[in-house]
């Protein structure tokens, strides 16, 4: 695992979010002309404060702080003219979580978004911001909190962590901003804590790992894990594409989805009509899914997760047609034909959607849906956004759940790059689900 990649992707996605965003991964900001650090006793009443631990960090002060200024400016937050003070870590009354660290004194409204605490009259910025900006300057951030790492194993197929122990410790350490002192694999009942999915990443520390860092949450008994909406991304960093879920999926998935068949075994497919991997999935396994639904082995529920905005009207007309008829099989036929066109190289449009809806539902239903499309588009976008806030950010996402065995698993993406998921892999999952 490339360490710079972990820093770049991790902090761009998990820390900066809307403010700095993933664009910084691809466009590293050039350094502004350096502003020499000012000794603390001469530091102005309002200043950006850079705290260094060693000479290497001290020499990078201008690069780190000027990069931060430019990055903020690109997103409309201007602190270009704010002076910079560089101070040694020993000048503060207590240690910080990350070095080098970014603080400020006085009133700098553009930085208030990132404040997580205060020390000796200085306001402390989110340690993730400090670590990210340090990594952008070529520094390896020094982490001062320590934690023991527990990997809680599940039983679902294809859910193994693929990284080696050294990389696991490094990746989880950077994501949690803590030094991992040990790593141990344990069973789900051994820690006595409630978890939502397996494998789970659990940290034990005498430090409050959630303090000032919103992506880590407490579980009690000095145990911590990652926040629910980012834990899927964390597992992906560790090579996990499939993970077991402990509780049933959000009931809105069933209520808002398009249902095909009736069974205690549920499969939710989060899809987008211009997702090539969704097209691969339906192209390779569509007939199997259709037969499973017809024979009562599986209820398939199609859920809109919009990644490409141009498909919203296409989803809306298909969804409206389903709601008019409640014919999930006709809906599937519409989707399968659109995906077949797309995977064949056709840039599918609303005209294609209208044509296929008229073919499988009839022109009468197509005409009924025409005046309802704006409302459907708004609903689809709103629900799609809510799914993304829950951590579902890629298509296809497959969510399996059995109402009999109370077992479930999630597949994010494709298990097989050529077929997305093979019938054999599908059978393994169903066998585990029912067992």
């Amino acid at each position: 695992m490339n360490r710079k990649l972990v820093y770049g992707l991790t902090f761009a996605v998990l820390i900066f979010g809307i403010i700095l965003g993933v664009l910084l991964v691809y466009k590293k900001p050039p350094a502004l002309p350096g502003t020499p650090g000012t000794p603390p006793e001469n530091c102005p009443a309002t200043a950006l404060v850079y705290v260094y631990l060693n000479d290497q960090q001290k020499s990078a002060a201008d690069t780190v702080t000027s990069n931060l200024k430019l990055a903020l400016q690109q997103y409309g937050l201007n602190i270009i003219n704010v002076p910079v003070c560089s101070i040694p870590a020993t000048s503060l009354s207590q240690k910080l979580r990350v070095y080098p660290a970014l603080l400020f004194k006085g009133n700098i409204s553009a930085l208030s978004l990132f404040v997580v605490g205060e020390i000796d009259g200085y306001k402390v910025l989110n340690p993730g911001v400090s670590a990210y900006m340090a990594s952008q300057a070529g520094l390896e951030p020094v982490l001062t909190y320590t934690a023991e790492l527990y990997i809680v194993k599940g039983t679902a197929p294809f859910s193994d962590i693929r990284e080696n122990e050294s990389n696991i410790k490094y990746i989880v350490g950077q994501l949690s901003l803590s030094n991992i002192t040990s790593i141990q694999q344990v069973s789900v009942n051994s820690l006595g804590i409630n978890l939502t999915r397996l494998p789970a990443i659990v940290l034990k520390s005498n430090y409050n790992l959630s303090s000032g860092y919103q992506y880590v949450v407490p579980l009690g008994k000095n145990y911590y894990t990652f926040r629910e909406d980012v834990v899927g991304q964390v597992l992906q960093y560790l090579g996990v594409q499939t993970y077991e879920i402990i509780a049933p999926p959000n009931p809105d998935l069933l209520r808002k989805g398009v249902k095909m068949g009736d069974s205690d075994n549920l499969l939710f497919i989060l899809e987008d009509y211009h997702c090539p991997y969704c097209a691969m999935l339906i192209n390779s396994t569509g007939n199997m899914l259709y037969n499973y639904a017809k024979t009562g082995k599986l209820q398939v529920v199609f859920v809109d997760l919009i990644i490409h905005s141009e498909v919203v009207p296409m989803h809306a007309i298909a969804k409206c047609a389903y709601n008019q008829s409640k014919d999930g099989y006709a809906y599937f036929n519409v989707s399968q034909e659109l995906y077949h066109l797309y995977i064949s190289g056709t840039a599918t449009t609303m005209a294609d959607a209208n044509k296929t809806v008229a073919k499988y539902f009839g022109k009468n239903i197509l005409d009924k849906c025409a005046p309802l499309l704006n409302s459907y588009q708004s609903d689809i976008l709103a629900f799609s956004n809510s799914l993304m806030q829950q951590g579902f950010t890629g298509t296809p996402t497959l969510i399996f759940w059995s109402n009999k065995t109370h077992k479930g698993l999630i597949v994010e993406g494709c298990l097989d790059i050529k077929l997305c998921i093979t019938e054999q892999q599908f059978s393994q999952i169903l066998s585990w689900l029912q067992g």
Side-chain angles (χ1 to χ4, degrees):
M1 169 64 68
N2 183 300
R3 294 191 172 200
K4 287 186 178 179
L5 180 63
V6 172
Y7 279 123
L9 294 179
T10 298
F11 297 115
V13 175
L14 299 185
I15 304 300
F16 274 51
I18 296 174
I19 301 299
L20 296 181
V22 76
L23 292 178
L24 292 182
V25 176
Y26 304 105
K27 184 180 179 182
K28 182 176 177 179
L32 291 175
T35 304
T38 305
E41 60 271 16
N42 298 320
C43 191
T46 298
L48 177 63
V49 180
Y50 177 89
V51 184
Y52 60 87
L53 193 63
N54 51 45
D55 288 341
Q56 182 189 22
Q57 291 184 359
K58 181 179 181 181
S59 65
D62 292 345
T63 302
V64 172
T65 55
S66 60
N67 280 355
L68 175 66
K69 288 182 177 184
L70 184 57
L72 290 172
Q73 187 181 44
Q74 291 175 336
Y75 290 86
L77 303 173
N78 190 355
I79 62 168
I80 293 297
N81 296 321
V82 173
V84 174
C85 292
S86 296
I87 63 174
T90 53
S91 68
L92 298 177
S93 63
Q94 64 188 71
K95 72 178 181 181
L96 299 171
R97 185 165 181 170
V98 172
Y99 292 107
L102 292 165
L103 295 70
F104 72 91
K105 59 183 300 189
N107 181 20
I108 307 177
S109 59
L111 295 179
S112 61
L113 295 167
F114 306 110
V115 173
V116 295
E118 189 169 322
I119 178 173
D120 299 343
Y122 299 109
K123 295 179 178 67
V124 181
L125 299 190
N126 188 308
V129 174
S130 296
Y132 178 80
M133 296 314 302
S135 70
Q136 288 291 292
L139 295 174
E140 183 87 7
V142 175
L143 308 175
T144 62
Y145 284 15
T146 59
E148 302 169 28
L149 170 59
Y150 295 92
I151 298 176
V152 186
K153 298 182 293 183
T155 62
F158 316 114
S159 62
D160 294 332
I161 291 178
R162 300 176 186 178
E163 289 289 346
N164 61 45
E165 185 171 303
S166 175
N167 283 342
I168 293 171
K169 290 175 69 174
Y170 177 77
I171 293 169
V172 174
Q174 303 315 307
L175 290 166
S176 64
L177 296 181
S178 58
N179 278 316
I180 306 301
T181 58
S182 63
I183 182 170
Q184 184 178 349
Q185 295 198 22
V186 297
S187 64
V188 66
N189 297 320
S190 61
L191 300 181
I193 54 178
N194 294 322
L195 297 168
T196 59
R197 64 183 80 191
L198 303 172
I201 303 300
V202 176
L203 298 157
K204 186 176 184 180
S205 178
N206 291 326
Y207 298 98
N208 183 355
L209 299 183
S210 62
S211 177
Y213 187 60
Q214 67 269 40
Y215 297 103
V216 174
V217 293
L219 293 169
K221 305 178 184 178
N222 290 336
Y223 290 113
Y224 300 85
T225 192
F226 292 99
R227 202 171 70 189
E228 184 66 21
D229 61 338
V230 300
V231 70
Q233 296 177 47
V234 174
L235 291 174
Q236 286 182 30
Y237 281 123
L238 300 175
V240 178
Q241 291 177 278
T242 301
Y243 46 88
E244 183 177 347
I245 52 176
I246 309 300
N250 185 329
D252 276 348
L253 289 171
L254 189 61
R255 186 171 62 86
K256 295 276 190 176
V258 171
K259 294 176 277 293
M260 181 174 74
D262 186 21
S263 173
D264 285 324
N265 300 317
L266 306 177
L267 168 60
F268 301 90
I269 301 178
L270 280 54
E271 61 174 351
D272 174 301
Y273 281 156
H274 278 179
C275 160
Y277 294 103
C278 298
M280 288 167 54
L281 172 71
I282 299 302
N283 192 58
S284 61
T285 63
N287 292 337
M288 178 190 69
L289 294 175
Y290 188 93
N291 290 332
Y292 277 169
K294 277 288 189 182
T295 56
K297 293 181 179 179
L298 196 66
Q299 182 179 61
V300 184
V301 184
F302 300 96
V303 180
D304 305 305
L305 179 58
I306 303 302
I307 306 299
H308 304 89
S309 59
E310 71 273 9
V311 302
V312 176
M314 299 164 62
H315 281 255
I317 191 67
K319 185 71 166 290
C320 178
Y322 166 77
N323 282 339
Q324 292 289 330
S325 67
K326 297 302 179 182
D327 188 343
Y329 297 99
Y331 179 94
F332 171 80
N333 288 332
V334 169
S335 298
Q336 187 176 46
E337 189 159 318
L338 290 173
Y339 281 132
H340 181 72
L341 287 171
Y342 185 72
I343 207 169
S344 300
T346 301
T348 50
T349 65
M350 190 60 180
D352 298 306
N354 285 334
K355 182 179 178 181
T356 53
V357 166
K359 177 179 177 180
Y360 292 105
F361 285 98
K363 190 175 184 306
N364 184 44
I365 285 183
L366 180 67
D367 292 340
K368 285 183 179 179
C369 286
L372 304 175
L373 286 187
N374 286 340
S375 175
Y376 270 90
Q377 290 183 67
S378 297
D379 289 345
I380 285 170
L381 281 174
F383 186 59
S384 184
N385 289 334
S386 75
L387 290 175
M388 290 186 179
Q389 291 171 8
Q390 295 170 43
F392 296 111
T393 57
T395 52
T397 293
L398 311 182
I399 305 175
F400 292 84
W401 180 259
S402 170
N403 287 327
K404 279 191 175 181
T405 62
H406 301 286
K407 293 165 67 174
L409 63 84
I410 294 178
V411 181
E412 293 188 335
C414 293
L415 293 175
D416 189 301
I417 195 63
K418 292 183 179 179
L419 295 174
C420 200
I421 181 171
T422 66
E423 291 194 18
Q424 182 181 9
Q425 290 168 333
F426 214 101
S427 295
Q428 284 180 259
I429 292 172
L430 281 182
S431 178
W432 172 84
L433 194 69
Q434 296 167 352

